[in-house]
């Protein structure tokens, strides 16, 4: 049975998208000429949407349109088109706080659930670059800046309560995409489920052990509760190396359609988890042993710099802009209050760090045992070699989830990752 869609909606094609763009004057003028002079190709390789690149005599742009189902699965998994609206709203909010780190929005069509944005070129998806062993020297500083600013300025630490509640209301309808996260990250990988897959038979026993691990499942359940109930800040919601486009000099964060108001540690942790998964995949991409030792070291340095940079800037913003109704500044004006407030900020960041580690671990597990895997591991052709990389990834993931409190700082995390990499 066909999926019902709102009146006026139609999925565009490489042919029809040019006719649509030609009808929107600012987009037509950006490209120059008319549709007959434009080059178009559909490049959507993600799980959900159509993505078109259109090039004209005067310029280019990117058109992204929501489909009424999960593209990875097909029409058997319907999905609300309204996620495009949430992505549009998130991009507008993020651009207020980190304008140089998100694509410029050129146009939004509420009937077609379509976004037109600047085309990012010569940027590539960061995950692709990391599979190829490319170094991005400015990435850690830029992404920690993005995380700190977008998360701090949408939190109760910066916002008056009324504005924060209005933001929660604006994004609370993104329930179906939140449900995808709740199921695919926090539930499915820890049970027998038809959507799960892994490198079989090599990981069969490991997957079984994790499904029977009561301590792990309880820790994941606590993280799921945090995800569902702790409305700390506006999240990107899908912060990983597939949602980031990069050059050596520039970082752009894309695809915030999973945006909602949730726990800060989720965005930070999901990114850290994807970097660590990439770290464990590198041996599988070597043509000779030790070939990527330097690159592995760079990834671990990046993990440290991302957390340290985020923590440093988040705290600096808290000190400089204590404008929210949480921890109101007028309560801490006496000199004696400074030390107490400093200790409280340290406690807050420690709790956030532990959250981030747990969420990192859940992301590492879901990308190994759940539905949607990362190309980092998937492109390792030999199953036994891939499974060895994935097994080390899963070992650290479990430790980050169950024993987050045992890691004093991010350096301990990267030291443990390095130790696991050396064990076999």
């Amino acid at each position: 049975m066909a999926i019902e869609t709102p009146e006026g909606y139609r999925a565009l094609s490489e042919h029809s998208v040019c006719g649509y763009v030609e009808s929107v004057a600012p987009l037509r003028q950006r490209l120059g000429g008319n549709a007959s002079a434009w080059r178009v190709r559909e490049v959507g390789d993600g799980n959900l949407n159509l993505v078109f690149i259109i090039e004209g005599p005067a310029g280019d742009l990117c058109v992204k349109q929501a489909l009424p189902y999960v593209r990875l699965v097909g029409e058997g998994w319907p999905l609300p088109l309204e996620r495009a609206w949430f992505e549009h709203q998130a991009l507008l909010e993020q651009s207020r706080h980190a304008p140089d780190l998100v694509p410029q929005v050129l146009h939004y069509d509420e009937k077609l659930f379509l976004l037109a944005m600047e085309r990012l070129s010569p940027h590539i998806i960061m995950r692709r670059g990391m599979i190829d062993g490319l170094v991005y020297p400015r990435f850690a500083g830029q992404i920690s800046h993005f995380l700190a600013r977008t998360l701090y300025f949408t939190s109760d630490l910066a916002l008056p309560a009324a504005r924060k509640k209005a933001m929660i209301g604006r994004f609370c309808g993104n329930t179906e995409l939140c449900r995808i996260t709740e199921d695919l990250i926090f539930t499915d990988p820890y049970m027998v489920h038809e959507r799960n897959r892994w490198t079989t038979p090599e990981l069969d026993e490991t997957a079984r052990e994790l499904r029977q691990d009561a301590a792990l499942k309880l820790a994941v359940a606590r993280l799921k509760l945090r995800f569902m109930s702790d409305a700390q800040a506006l999240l990107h919601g899908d912060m990983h190396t597939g949602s980031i486009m990069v050059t050596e000099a520039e970082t752009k964060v894309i695809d915030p359609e999973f945006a909602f108001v949730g726990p800060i540690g989720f965005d930070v942790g999901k990114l850290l988890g994807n970097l660590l998964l990439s770290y464990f995949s590198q041996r599988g991409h070597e043509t000779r042993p030790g070939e990527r030792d330097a690159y592995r070291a760079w990834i671990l340095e990046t993990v440290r710099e991302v957390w340290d940079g985020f923590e440093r800037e988040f705290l600096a913003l808290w000190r400089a802009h204590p404008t929210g109704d949480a921890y109101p500044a007028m309560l801490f004006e006496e000199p004696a209050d400074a030390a107490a407030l400093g200790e409280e900020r340290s406690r807050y960041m420690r709790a956030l760090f532990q959250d981030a580690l747990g969420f990192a671990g859940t992301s590492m597990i879901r990308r190994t045992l759940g539905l949607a895997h990362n190309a980092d591991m998937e492109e390792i052709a030999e199953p036994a070699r891939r499974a060895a990389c994935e097994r080390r990834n899963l070992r650290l993931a479990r430790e980050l989830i169950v024993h987050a409190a045992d890691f004093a700082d991010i350096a301990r995390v990267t030291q443990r990752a390095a130790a696991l990499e050396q064990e076999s």
Side-chain angles (χ1 to χ4, degrees):
M1 184 167 55
I3 296 175
E4 292 187 8
T5 56
E7 183 178 355
Y9 174 85
R10 68 189 191 282
L12 298 179
S13 65
E14 287 189 351
H15 175 72
S16 61
V17 71
C18 286
Y20 172 80
V21 168
E22 195 172 31
S23 72
V24 181
L27 302 184
R28 183 178 68 247
Q29 293 163 6
R30 183 181 180 91
L31 293 171
N34 56 43
S36 64
W38 300 342
R39 297 181 301 277
V40 59
R41 64 187 189 278
E42 204 277 313
V43 298
D45 60 356
N47 297 331
L48 302 179
N49 308 290
L50 295 169
V51 181
F52 303 94
I53 299 297
I54 309 177
E55 300 169 303
D60 52 21
L61 54 82
C62 173
V63 173
K64 179 177 179 180
Q65 185 183 29
L67 290 169
Y69 53 84
V70 177
R71 187 175 184 177
L72 174 67
V73 177
E75 296 189 10
W77 190 342
L79 202 62
L81 294 163
E82 287 77 13
R83 66 186 187 273
W85 184 86
F86 292 111
E87 177 170 3
H88 178 226
Q89 292 296 304
L91 283 169
L92 294 179
E93 187 67 34
Q94 291 165 353
S95 68
R96 295 186 185 102
H97 309 301
D100 296 334
L101 297 173
V102 294
Q104 178 189 4
V105 175
L106 305 173
H107 175 71
Y108 178 69
D109 190 309
E110 61 184 12
K111 290 186 177 180
L112 293 181
F113 300 94
L114 173 151
L115 270 167
M117 298 169 283
E118 67 168 313
R119 183 220 182 158
L120 299 176
S121 179
H123 304 68
I124 65 170
I125 294 295
M126 186 176 183
R127 178 175 295 145
R128 181 73 262 160
M130 294 186 74
I131 291 170
D132 293 339
L134 301 180
V135 169
Y136 299 103
R138 300 187 64 185
F139 167 74
Q142 290 174 344
I143 200 65
S144 60
H145 178 72
F146 173 87
L147 289 167
R149 290 188 61 83
T150 59
L151 294 170
Y152 179 80
F153 283 115
T154 60
S155 76
D156 293 288
L157 304 174
L159 290 177
R163 285 183 57 193
K164 174 68 183 309
K165 289 178 172 61
M167 179 175 289
I168 293 173
R170 185 160 35 123
F171 285 92
C172 70
N174 204 8
T175 55
E176 287 301 315
L177 268 69
C178 285
R179 179 63 183 268
I180 289 175
T181 299
E182 292 153 11
D183 288 347
L184 298 190
I185 295 183
F186 299 111
T187 307
D188 291 359
Y190 307 95
M191 61 186 291
V192 175
H193 198 287
E194 62 183 4
R195 288 196 291 250
N196 292 339
R197 62 185 181 88
W198 55 81
T199 303
T200 186
E202 287 82 0
L203 289 186
D204 287 358
E205 181 61 20
T206 302
R208 185 190 65 80
E209 289 174 355
L210 291 180
R211 292 195 301 269
Q212 296 179 353
D213 189 333
L216 173 64
K217 290 188 289 186
L218 280 173
V220 171
R222 294 185 197 106
L223 289 165
K224 182 177 182 179
L225 179 60
R226 302 256 313 145
F227 179 85
M228 296 171 66
S229 62
D230 199 348
Q232 286 184 310
L234 177 63
L235 306 187
H236 176 283
D238 200 25
M239 178 62 66
H240 55 70
T241 53
S243 296
I244 299 169
M245 297 189 71
V246 287
T247 66
E248 284 191 0
E250 195 171 50
T251 301
K252 297 281 188 176
V253 179
I254 62 171
D255 294 348
E257 60 199 322
F258 281 77
F260 81 111
V261 181
I264 290 172
F266 183 76
D267 266 7
V268 182
K270 194 166 190 183
L271 177 59
L272 295 177
N274 274 260
L275 291 172
L276 289 165
L277 184 146
S278 175
Y279 170 79
F280 286 114
S281 76
Q282 294 302 317
R283 192 185 300 190
H285 298 296
E286 291 180 333
T287 58
R288 63 182 186 276
E291 180 182 42
R292 294 205 177 191
D293 284 352
Y295 194 67
R296 276 190 287 272
W298 174 78
I299 295 176
L300 292 187
E301 180 184 3
T302 298
V303 169
R304 290 190 294 270
E305 289 180 352
V306 167
W307 170 260
D308 287 341
F310 164 76
E311 181 181 42
R312 184 168 55 250
E313 184 163 357
F314 193 95
L315 285 169
L317 291 171
W318 194 349
R319 289 189 290 268
H321 305 280
T323 50
D325 281 341
Y327 300 97
M330 71 281 294
L331 294 184
F332 302 99
E333 294 177 343
E334 298 297 326
D337 296 331
L341 185 56
E343 290 178 3
E344 177 62 11
R345 286 171 175 157
S346 295
R347 184 210 60 78
Y348 183 98
M349 297 306 296
R350 175 63 187 170
L352 200 160
F353 177 64
Q354 291 184 23
D355 281 353
L357 295 188
F359 289 125
T362 61
S363 186
M364 295 160 74
I365 290 175
R366 70 73 56 103
R367 292 291 185 177
T368 310
L369 302 179
L371 172 66
H373 289 205
N374 279 11
D376 308 68
M377 295 292 188
E378 292 288 275
E379 293 191 10
I380 302 172
E382 184 184 343
R385 194 178 191 189
R386 179 172 67 247
C389 296
E390 292 172 325
R391 200 171 287 112
R392 289 187 286 272
N393 172 72
L394 291 171
R395 285 187 62 188
L396 181 61
R398 184 191 183 279
E399 292 179 21
L400 295 179
I401 295 169
V402 178
H403 301 296
D406 294 342
F407 291 93
D409 51 35
I410 194 65
R412 302 292 179 89
V413 175
T414 57
Q415 289 165 10
R416 181 58 180 151
L420 287 170
E421 181 66 18
Q422 294 300 316
E423 283 187 5
S424 58

